[in-house]
Amino acid sequence: MTGLQRWPGRYTDRHGSQEVVFETDGRELIRTTIRGVLFEGDSMDDLGALAGEPPEAMFRFLHGALSSCLLEWRLPLPVEGAGQGVREGVLHCALRLPDPAAGTAPGADRESLVLTLRLDGREYGGADDCGDFENGLYAIQRELPPGTRLKACIACAWSDYSPVGHGLMAGLACFRDVKARYRQVDGKHGPRGIFALWPAHTEVVQETWLCGDFEPRGAHAGYRGTFP
């Protein structure tokens, strides 16, 4: 999977709803245009207006990022195994961003993410707020039939998160250029810890990205453990 991806979606707030397209390089760039305003960020919960914040009458912002709205989008998510080769699933994503003016309204002060994989006429996940892409994709993998696995960076043998934490999406480091060294990672610290290897990572990617070096995550746990 290379080049720019275009994810069809929808933006909804107190003024109404409109179809949008999110463009992403699969790594650290997401861009879209809403009501003629160009937004960009490295995560769906960190989209800021490139030309400065437009009037409050058009949008609401929290710390410079879009808020008080619902973002929905869908993207291809390959699945392989169970003797059926690679099939193309579709991941449906719904992110509700908090309303800074909502006061004490239940749930209005926090963001929520729901991920639903649609594959072969069935749905996996999608019941509750999963918090972030890591937890949501792990939950989907646990629901898939035995022998069926997601084919994406989150499920790859060469990917890991930083021990200092990560946000809603992206922040997944790829170690494909130092595979032999990454195979030796056994925790946080020490000569074989993820901290020691971190500066050698190839790039940072989104969980749903995929490159030609993909290998299923097996028994080697790395820092973050097996998948799922």
Side-chain angles (χ1 to χ4, degrees):
M1 192 183 298
T2 59
L4 199 67
Q5 285 192 29
R6 293 169 61 86
W7 299 339
R10 178 169 291 276
Y11 171 85
T12 303
D13 66 7
R14 68 194 189 281
H15 298 302
S17 180
Q18 73 170 78
E19 292 185 358
V20 296
V21 174
F22 297 97
E23 295 184 337
T24 178
D25 63 0
R27 296 165 176 83
E28 298 180 281
L29 172 68
I30 299 171
R31 180 179 292 164
T32 191
T33 300
I34 307 171
R35 297 178 186 143
V37 179
L38 181 61
F39 290 88
E40 186 176 290
D42 58 7
S43 174
M44 283 291 192
D45 61 351
D46 190 33
L47 295 176
L50 289 187
E53 291 185 12
E56 278 284 325
M58 294 181 65
F59 304 98
R60 284 182 177 163
F61 295 88
L62 183 61
H63 307 305
L66 267 178
S67 67
S68 188
C69 63
L70 173 66
L71 301 177
E72 299 171 276
W73 68 100
R74 59 187 185 274
L75 59 110
L77 186 59
V79 173
E80 66 177 350
Q84 300 181 37
V86 178
R87 295 114 71 204
E88 195 72 15
V90 177
L91 185 67
H92 291 251
C93 314
L95 174 65
R96 189 171 296 278
L97 295 172
D99 183 353
T104 59
D109 60 343
R110 63 179 181 86
E111 69 180 44
S112 65
L113 174 69
V114 175
L115 299 181
T116 307
L117 176 66
R118 294 179 181 168
L119 175 72
D120 300 336
R122 296 189 59 184
E123 293 188 352
Y124 302 90
D128 302 296
D129 172 23
C130 59
D132 58 27
F133 267 73
E134 179 188 16
N135 288 325
L137 294 174
Y138 271 64
I140 287 172
Q141 176 62 59
R142 292 187 186 100
E143 291 185 20
L144 289 173
T148 304
R149 297 182 61 84
L150 301 179
K151 188 174 183 180
C153 288
I154 187 69
C156 182
W158 317 120
S159 63
D160 219 323
Y161 286 109
S162 168
V164 301
H166 61 88
L168 174 79
M169 61 187 297
L172 186 61
C174 172
F175 292 92
R176 64 177 180 268
D177 291 335
V178 286
K179 294 176 182 176
R181 292 177 61 191
Y182 181 69
R183 286 191 184 98
Q184 303 303 312
V185 170
D186 58 4
K188 288 185 183 181
H189 303 287
R192 297 197 302 177
I194 193 69
F195 277 128
L197 186 58
W198 193 262
H201 71 265
T202 304
E203 60 181 342
V204 175
V205 298
Q206 296 165 2
E207 289 83 352
T208 54
W209 194 244
L210 178 66
C211 82
D213 281 77
F214 173 84
E215 291 185 28
R217 198 169 186 86
H220 170 244
Y223 162 68
R224 67 181 170 102
T226 57
F227 180 83

